[in-house]
Amino acid sequence: MTPQRSAYTRRTVLKSTAAATAVTHLTSAPAIADDGGTSEITLSVNGQRHRVAVEPRVTLLDALRERLGLTGTKKGCDRGECGACTVLVDGERIKSCLTLAVMRQGAEITTVEGLARGEELHPVQEAFIRRDAFQCGACTPGQIMSAVACINEGHTGSEAEIREWMSGNLCRCAAYQNIVAAVADAAKETPR
Amino acid sequence: MRNFGYTVARTPEDAVRIAAGTRNSTFVSGGTDLLNLMRDGAQAHDHLVDINRLDLAGIAVDRQALRIGALARMRHVAEHPLVRRESPVLSEALLASASPQVRNMAAIGGNLLQRTRCGYFRDAGSACNKRVPGSGCPAITGYNRGHAILGGSDHCIATHPSDLAVALTALDATVHLLGPDGARAVPIADFYLLPGSTPEREVALRPGELITRVDVPRTSLAAQSRYLKLRDRATFEFAVVSVAAALQMTGRTVRDARLAFGGIGTRPWRDTRAEAVLRGRPLTETTIAEAGRVLVRDAKPHNDNRFKVELVQRALARVLSELGGVR
Ligand SMILES: Cc1cc2nc3c(=O)[nH]c(=O)nc-3n(C[C@H](O)[C@H](O)[C@H](O)COP(=O)(O)OP(=O)(O)OC[C@H]3O[C@@H](n4cnc5c(N)ncnc54)[C@H](O)[C@@H]3O)c2cc1C
Ligand code: FES
Ligand code: FES
């Protein structure tokens, strides 16, 4: 287990100043951070366990990017609307900007950094390159994570089905045509 | 986002006790609405009680009802074979909601309690009677394209955004609650409140009450049901207008019908008078049109949403024609 010191960057948005609301109470043994202070939690990311110190308000997205330095996961809208922050939690795709890091203790998290096996890219990554399925690349890690799940879920029967089941991922460069082609390609290569 | 305390509850009783004993606390399930509201400053809490570890995620069935645990995720309810066979309208409403990622996260209880998408409500800088009682409703004279044409008051015309709630309203579901004073059940028709002069009160939930389960009666009617959702883009968008309909026919005659609507009312909108127009009569263009006219009889459209009066009648006609095989 690697103890992680915070990897603050210029984009650190987590202001720990205006410290909040110490609510103390009662009865049942609180799990953590009863008072809103920072507490150490364990996050399991790409098969590695990390100790991170977070306040309850830190989203999983911010914990990944700002604390663990895993900046492959992108922040687009920070409100669930664009899909750039898509990661897998216990194999299911979610939007990491809409969940708190403290809520994901004990879960197995996979980010785009966890897809390749050494130098060998994941078939979905290969297909995105082959099909030229991106322009600026800002949405791409989220598209790829979503595509991995979309294929696992079996929602790749037709172009229309791929479009519907990839609809949680927006692309401001509108590379949709090639994204759909890449997902269809990768689905053919992926044994389910 | 302002900081807050956080506790993981282990049992429903535990959750209720912690919430009741902690000032300005609330439950969190998926967090997909709550975190946005807190980020925007539309809602503020000093403490979140995480209910995700409660054993309330099951979907069970017995002779009377389909019993959906409050922590069942939207995806799992939508995909459940029994839901799809016996109450397709539920599955269709869920699959037309949000995105695959959000449906993996969001739970049924949280879905029913999501707040309105009214821009004035979500913007902490605007007046809003729902958010700050007495501050006024800018939507009534302002931008109100997404707002209600039925059930509004001088204080609020916001719609409820849940597609699932519309489908559950058509199927006469019951919401089960656990609170500091024990358990109780509320029919969904009484669960959502009209705004009247207290738009800040949206649901019949008492302080500290937890939704534990939603029961959907098993009827042959529900098996013949559909959800039609009209929106500004093909998918991943809230409803402009939606219709949940269940229809049982004997030959060409309507034996029974259930009709609920989204996007037009200040709560998931059931209209039993429109249902009565159809019951016992042949399903024809004429009877369908009559049901539509009854539905919008008391409509009070606003500047930007007059089109909904016509649109909802057309949506109703389309669903009923498809369900009843009318050309
Ligand atoms: C981008 C986007 C698009 C969306 N599109 C749609 C759409 O098209 N159609 C649609 O219907 N919805 C849509 N939604 C809304 C989504 O369905 C809701 O955010 C979600 O269902 C809320 O569930 P949750 O578990 O995440 O709730 P949370 O956000 O965790 O909680 C919501 C509220 O419910 C309370 N709560 C949660 N569970 C319980 C319980 N068991 N008992 C008592 N109180 C409880 C919380 O305290 C909170 O006040 C969309 C959301 C996003 C982010
Ligand atoms: S950053 Fe999470 S959906 Fe846009
Ligand atoms: S490639 Fe630029 S946003 Fe998708």
Side-chain angles (χ1 to χ4, degrees), chain B residues 107-167:
Chain B
I108 296 315
N111 183 290
L112 295 185
L113 295 177
Q114 63 176 293
R115 308 298 303 275
T116 182
R117 308 309 290 195
C118 170
Y120 301 106
F121 169 77
R122 297 225 164 213
D123 168 24
S126 294
C128 170
N129 286 325
K130 220 183 236 318
R131 189 163 31 72
V132 184
S135 61
C137 175
I140 292 172
T141 50
Y143 186 62
N144 46 38
R145 183 171 184 278
H147 291 71
I149 57 172
L150 287 161
S153 71
D154 293 343
H155 304 270
C156 182
I157 54 169
T159 53
H160 194 277
S162 167
D163 293 296
L164 176 68
V166 174

Side-chain angles (χ1 to χ4, degrees), chain B residues 210-226:
Chain B
L210 177 76
I211 300 178
T212 51
R213 197 175 85 215
V214 177
D215 284 359
V216 185
R218 293 178 78 186
T219 63
S220 44
L221 184 65
Q224 296 299 318
S225 61
R226 277 216 53 196

Side-chain angles (χ1 to χ4, degrees), chain B:
Chain B
M1 199 175 351
R2 220 183 76 189
N3 208 10
F4 44 81
Y6 171 83
T7 310
V8 177
R10 302 289 166 184
T11 65
E13 294 73 21
D14 197 23
V16 168
R17 197 171 49 235
I18 298 168
T22 313
R23 204 179 56 80
N24 196 20
S25 63
T26 196
F27 302 117
V28 61
S29 49
T32 63
D33 196 31
L34 185 64
L35 294 186
N36 278 342
L37 290 164
M38 290 175 73
R39 256 191 291 245
D40 291 348
Q43 234 168 272
H45 300 282
D46 294 328
H47 203 95
L48 297 192
V49 181
D50 183 343
I51 56 174
N52 287 289
R53 317 238 163 175
L54 307 186
D55 185 18
L56 294 175
I59 304 171
V61 63
D62 56 32
R63 292 236 330 256
Q64 281 84 41
L66 184 68
R67 306 189 192 278
I68 305 172
L71 285 166
R73 304 295 148 175
M74 291 170 75
R75 171 189 181 176
H76 298 122
V77 179
E79 286 179 351
H80 199 280
L82 212 74
V83 175
R84 294 171 58 167
R85 193 168 65 240
E86 293 195 359
S87 307
V89 69
L90 292 184
S91 181
E92 290 174 15
L94 285 166
L95 289 178
S97 300
S99 64
Q101 291 99 315
V102 171
R103 298 197 295 267
N104 282 343
M105 308 172 77
I108 296 315
N111 183 290
L112 295 185
L113 295 177
Q114 63 176 293
R115 308 298 303 275
T116 182
R117 308 309 290 195
C118 170
Y120 301 106
F121 169 77
R122 297 225 164 213
D123 168 24
S126 294
C128 170
N129 286 325
K130 220 183 236 318
R131 189 163 31 72
V132 184
S135 61
C137 175
I140 292 172
T141 50
Y143 186 62
N144 46 38
R145 183 171 184 278
H147 291 71
I149 57 172
L150 287 161
S153 71
D154 293 343
H155 304 270
C156 182
I157 54 169
T159 53
H160 194 277
S162 167
D163 293 296
L164 176 68
V166 174
L168 289 172
T169 297
L171 299 185
D172 289 310
T174 305
V175 184
H176 288 257
L177 306 171
L178 180 71
D181 301 325
R184 63 186 184 116
V186 182
I188 195 148
D190 303 328
F191 186 70
Y192 291 103
L193 309 176
L194 290 172
S197 57
T198 54
E200 71 280 8
R201 286 209 65 214
E202 272 165 21
V203 288
L205 212 64
R206 297 182 191 137
E209 271 185 326
L210 177 76
I211 300 178
T212 51
R213 197 175 85 215
V214 177
D215 284 359
V216 185
R218 293 178 78 186
T219 63
S220 44
L221 184 65
Q224 296 299 318
S225 61
R226 277 216 53 196
Y227 194 71
L228 174 67
K229 180 172 176 181
L230 305 179
R231 30 193 168 173
D232 286 335
R233 58 182 181 192
T235 188
F236 193 21
E237 188 54 274
F238 289 91
V240 174
V241 159
S242 71
V243 185
L247 192 65
Q248 198 172 26
M249 306 284 292
T250 311
R252 303 295 319 145
T253 304
V254 176
R255 196 151 101 211
D256 208 354
R258 296 280 184 283
L259 303 174
F261 303 86
I264 59 165
T266 47
R267 62 177 176 190
W269 200 256
R270 176 86 179 265
D271 195 321
T272 51
R273 294 174 313 177
E275 293 167 8
V277 167
L278 298 172
R279 206 169 292 124
R281 296 175 69 194
L283 191 70
T284 63
E285 271 181 30
T286 313
T287 53
I288 291 173
E290 198 182 321
R293 280 196 302 275
V294 166
L295 169 68
V296 297
R297 197 160 56 186
D298 303 326
K300 284 201 182 61
H302 303 272
N303 249 347
D304 307 312
N305 68 10
R306 291 186 197 284
F307 69 97
K308 285 188 180 179
V309 177
E310 174 72 26
L311 187 64
V312 71
Q313 294 181 73
R314 292 191 193 180
L316 176 64
R318 192 166 119 199
V319 178
L320 287 178
S321 308
E322 282 173 17
L323 263 177
V326 179
R327 299 274 135 219

